[in-house]
Amino acid sequence: MKTKVLLCALLSGTVAATLVAQGPDMVELKLKLPKPMFIGTPTNIKSPNLEVITGKPRGPFFVPAGTKLLSLNRPVRASDMEPVIGELAMLTDGEKEGGDGYFAEFGPGKQWVQIDLGATYALHAILAWHYHSQARVYRDVVVQVSIDKDFLKGVTTIFNNDHDNSAGLGIGKDKEYIEVAEGRLFDPKGAKGRYVRLYSTGNTSNDLNHYVEVEVYGTPAK
């Protein structure tokens, strides 16, 4: 009986610590996700920098109360202003389905896309769907935010899985990951910026770069 009481106390303490860490003004970020287009855990993708594949869905993610979607229908620039397939506006149109007609395709090599939020915000979540109708790993994924549209000053790197600096943006310590329907969530940890830029350099299926949708969430900067 004493063992059960002690265990309950320890668990209660853990829950309390978790709630304190989240803070009283933190809420779960509610996301509208597309339907999965393939089932099961891919096992045929090999990469020396690939994260451990668990096959489990992403857990809840908490953000400050008042966090809003900032990127919907915001203008998009890119290193290639004329995609091979699709249009730049597709990246922020709210459509996340992964089939034909829902993604923009950019040429081979290092490419970037950039969203103008219209003002400087404190950012709390960035989600990206490159392509999820089949399992792929996109190379040299780098996510940055800045107050400068040319990314020459005030730049914060949120994510970088370029383990050999082949993209020339510095060696990253993050892992490569397999594209799935829930997208990839990057944590900006409140970094302030008006512009969000995402890089990639091809993928495990071909040398091209793709985007279905990018979502950016935040609150007004103080």
Side-chain angles (χ1 to χ4, degrees):
M1 185 59 141
K2 290 182 178 180
T3 302
K4 290 184 178 180
V5 171
L6 178 60
L7 180 59
C8 289
L10 289 173
L11 289 175
S12 297
T14 300
V15 172
T18 300
L19 292 175
V20 170
Q22 292 170 357
D25 297 324
M26 302 294 280
V27 298
E28 183 179 350
L29 181 63
K30 298 296 185 180
L31 301 170
K32 184 178 180 181
L33 302 177
K35 295 180 180 179
M37 298 188 69
F38 63 87
I39 305 297
T41 301
T43 58
N44 60 339
I45 296 180
K46 305 297 182 183
S47 170
N49 193 39
L50 187 63
E51 67 183 9
V52 175
I53 303 171
T54 66
K56 297 179 180 179
R58 180 175 56 233
F61 185 78
F62 293 86
V63 296
T67 295
K68 295 182 178 181
L69 176 62
L70 307 172
S71 52
L72 184 63
N73 296 323
R74 295 302 306 171
V76 180
R77 290 178 56 207
S79 50
D80 180 358
M81 291 296 289
E82 297 184 0
V84 179
I85 297 174
E87 301 177 356
L88 294 177
M90 288 179 167
L91 277 68
T92 57
D93 65 359
E95 297 289 345
K96 305 167 197 173
E97 301 303 320
D100 291 346
Y102 288 94
F103 63 86
E105 179 179 272
F106 300 87
K110 184 175 74 174
Q111 300 280 3
W112 55 261
V113 298
Q114 179 175 310
I115 299 170
D116 180 359
L117 301 175
T120 298
Y121 292 91
L123 305 182
H124 305 300
I126 300 172
L127 284 94
W129 289 261
H130 283 101
Y131 189 93
H132 62 87
S133 63
Q134 63 176 226
R136 293 180 177 180
V137 171
Y138 280 78
R139 305 295 195 187
D140 300 343
V141 173
V142 180
V143 182
Q144 297 180 330
V145 302
S146 180
I147 58 174
D148 173 29
K149 64 181 177 61
D150 297 316
F151 278 70
L152 299 177
K153 60 182 179 180
V155 178
T156 302
T157 298
I158 305 303
F159 182 90
N160 183 347
N161 67 10
D162 179 8
H163 67 282
D164 58 3
N165 198 27
S166 56
L169 297 169
I171 295 176
K173 297 182 179 180
D174 297 299
K175 294 291 187 179
E176 292 180 335
Y177 59 91
I178 295 175
E179 294 286 328
V180 292
E182 69 177 8
R184 186 67 173 196
L185 192 154
F186 307 104
D187 185 0
K189 302 183 184 302
K192 293 180 174 62
R194 170 173 172 169
Y195 305 94
V196 176
R197 182 179 285 194
L198 302 94
Y199 293 85
S200 63
T201 311
N203 63 86
T204 49
S205 293
N206 53 58
D207 294 332
L208 301 175
N209 298 274
H210 306 85
Y211 287 89
V212 173
E213 187 78 8
V214 178
E215 290 187 340
V216 182
Y217 293 83
T219 53
K222 297 180 180 180

